[in-house]
Amino acid sequence: MQPKKNIVHLPVYKPGKPMDEVKRELGLTEVIKLASNENPFGCSPKAKEAIIANIDQSSIYPDGGAVELTAAVAKHFNVRTDQVIFGAGSDEIILMLARAYLVPGDENIMAFPTFPQYKHNAEIEGAVSIEVPLKDGTHDLQAMLDRINDRTKIIWLCNPNNPTGTMNSHQEVVDFLNAVPAHVLVVLDEAYAEYNVSGDYPDSIALVNQYKNAIVLRTFSKIYGLASLRIGYGIGHPEVIRSINQVREPFNTTGFAQKAALAAIQDEAFINDCREANAQGIVYLSEQFRALKLPFYPAHGNFMMVDVQRSGAQVFDSLLRKGIIIRHDPTWQLPTMIRVTVGSQEQNEKFIGALQLALNEVTAGV
Ligand SMILES: *Cc1c(COP(=O)(O)O)cnc(C)c1O
């Protein structure tokens, strides 16, 4: 047997250790996970009720077209229902975009470092990934434009960018879209959009209505707190949505996910509270990082990237032993950087306390 030659080099996704295992191995009673940008406040109680109310439907296939949820999302954003597509997380929409648009030899452009799923899925299709280094931690949009050629099919803009948390403004994205040729699809991955309080975050729904070759991706995994249910969505031009639908599996989102998402998108009070708490968390963490003289990127999602000015891997290990799981990834090629999810105030304070100890343990100067 011979798998496709473009997949043999791909790493198998290595999930973070389950919290119970970390507790057992390190003999800890409490572990705080600030590693995956999950919502520290869980999800809306209305979403929980919706799941429980539908528990008897487990034996029934879900609505493959997610008709009710499509109508609700379309109404929420004032777009047509044929502009909306759902995936098992926005991860699956990234996969479907690669599947629908990329053939071997095609090129796709992304930042470096950025969310790894763009390159991963492009490689499965045999496409060539052009990775453009961030400039001051932010997408270098001009350098990305400079790499477009006749083979370019997709450009991925991760905004705010994961792992740096930095963002590109509405005007920057408009100027970018004006310069991108019509044969290139621009994917605006906005997994953290609902957290944004900057005032100049792109009005992407207006942009996808204006630019046929732009699609915006959102998810219920982050501020909505439904990561385990796997549901995200894309909004774009009907022709793009149709192409994605052509490669979509018939029952790609579960009935529970659809019902929970429907309740979640209607509970605006919960989302507003989470956004507010997150903004306060960023203020708190920023103050603490300044006091510790650690540089950090301006944060526009629910996570922060901070320069610990020592081995990030060692700081990660030291924090883990203290029961705090954060993220450090050697593939970022940012050896002194760590990424931490903004938690509840209590979690943030425990993280800062543990970080102070960890910084002392891991001597400065890498
Ligand atoms: C978390 C995340 C996603 C998608 O998560 P799903 O759980 O698959 O919806 C997409 N893009 C970025 C940048 C993310 O951080």
Side-chain angles (χ1 to χ4, degrees):
M1 287 182 293
Q2 184 61 53
K4 288 154 73 164
K5 74 171 184 309
N6 44 309
I7 73 157
V8 292
H9 72 289
L10 290 179
V12 174
Y13 180 75
K14 237 178 89 196
K17 273 190 193 166
M19 295 219 272
D20 288 341
E21 201 176 314
V22 173
K23 278 188 200 164
R24 210 169 37 241
E25 278 181 12
L26 297 170
L28 298 163
T29 48
E30 189 195 4
V31 169
I32 297 174
K33 187 175 170 221
L34 300 173
S36 303
N37 304 340
E38 292 148 336
N39 188 337
F41 308 108
C43 70
S44 159
K46 297 192 171 106
K48 285 183 206 169
E49 284 165 24
I51 298 167
I52 293 164
N54 285 278
I55 205 79
D56 287 338
Q57 303 298 308
S58 297
S59 57
I60 311 293
Y61 275 106
D63 169 10
V67 174
E68 205 185 358
L69 182 59
T70 301
V73 168
K75 188 166 169 237
H76 187 85
F77 291 106
N78 194 23
V79 296
R80 285 166 41 182
T81 52
D82 61 0
Q83 291 183 268
V84 184
I85 179 107
F86 290 92
S90 48
D91 273 359
E92 196 202 11
I93 304 183
I94 295 167
L95 177 153
M96 293 190 286
L97 282 165
R99 193 158 183 189
Y101 284 91
L102 300 176
V103 297
D106 281 348
E107 293 187 6
N108 71 131
I109 302 174
M110 66 204 71
F112 180 82
T114 191
F115 193 57
Q117 292 311 304
Y118 317 137
K119 186 179 180 189
H120 180 82
N121 284 292
E123 291 198 359
I124 292 170
E125 304 303 333
V128 177
S129 293
I130 310 292
E131 299 176 87
V132 178
L134 299 172
K135 198 166 112 189
D136 303 324
T138 311
H139 280 60
D140 187 346
L141 296 176
Q142 185 55 51
M144 294 176 89
L145 285 175
D146 292 343
R147 302 298 300 272
I148 296 174
N149 62 38
D150 293 344
R151 293 182 299 280
T152 310
K153 285 283 184 63
I154 299 180
I155 305 179
W156 311 89
L157 294 191
C158 187
N159 197 24
N161 188 48
N162 185 357
T164 50
T166 49
M167 68 166 251
N168 292 98
S169 69
H170 182 78
Q171 195 54 49
E172 285 170 347
V173 174
V174 169
D175 293 344
F176 183 76
L177 288 170
N178 282 334
V180 171
H183 73 274
V184 179
L185 178 65
V186 177
V187 181
L188 305 167
D189 183 351
E190 299 191 338
Y192 304 95
E194 303 84 359
Y195 280 110
N196 212 280
V197 291
S198 70
D200 59 357
Y201 190 67
D203 180 358
S204 301
I205 306 299
L207 294 178
V208 299
N209 281 326
Q210 193 182 343
Y211 297 86
K212 197 175 161 179
N213 62 330
I215 179 170
V216 59
L217 307 187
R218 300 272 179 94
T219 180
F220 285 97
S221 297
K222 304 289 161 59
I223 204 169
Y224 293 99
L226 298 173
S228 178
L229 293 187
R230 315 301 307 128
I231 187 155
Y233 57 97
I235 297 178
H237 190 275
E239 272 175 38
V240 175
I241 298 303
R242 181 180 150 77
S243 301
I244 306 171
N245 260 319
Q246 286 173 308
V247 303
R248 185 175 63 78
E249 294 292 325
F251 303 107
N252 64 322
T253 61
T254 69
F256 296 127
Q258 292 175 23
K259 293 290 188 193
L262 185 63
I265 202 163
Q266 283 157 356
D267 191 351
E268 281 181 26
F270 177 80
I271 299 310
N272 291 340
D273 289 349
C274 293
R275 179 190 303 112
E276 174 74 10
N278 183 71
Q280 286 173 10
I282 289 176
V283 170
Y284 169 77
L285 290 173
S286 301
E287 282 166 0
Q288 299 298 315
F289 294 151
R290 270 187 216 106
L292 292 166
K293 299 197 166 46
L294 302 179
F296 57 91
Y297 284 123
H300 295 283
N302 68 340
F303 58 95
M304 295 190 76
M305 180 167 259
V306 55
D307 184 350
V308 291
Q309 303 188 309
R310 300 154 172 75
S311 159
Q314 286 179 33
V315 170
F316 170 90
D317 284 336
S318 176
L319 285 170
L320 186 66
R321 288 193 299 274
K322 296 167 184 49
I324 311 272
I325 315 176
I326 51 98
R327 194 144 170 88
H328 171 78
D329 185 339
T331 68
W332 296 336
Q333 297 181 24
L334 298 169
T336 64
M337 294 287 191
I338 61 169
R339 191 194 74 190
V340 60
T341 302
V342 179
S344 65
Q345 183 59 23
E346 188 192 343
Q347 291 174 329
N348 294 337
E349 286 172 14
K350 285 184 175 164
F351 160 69
I352 291 294
L355 179 64
Q356 284 166 330
L357 298 174
L359 293 174
N360 291 336
E361 259 173 45
V362 181
T363 43
V366 191

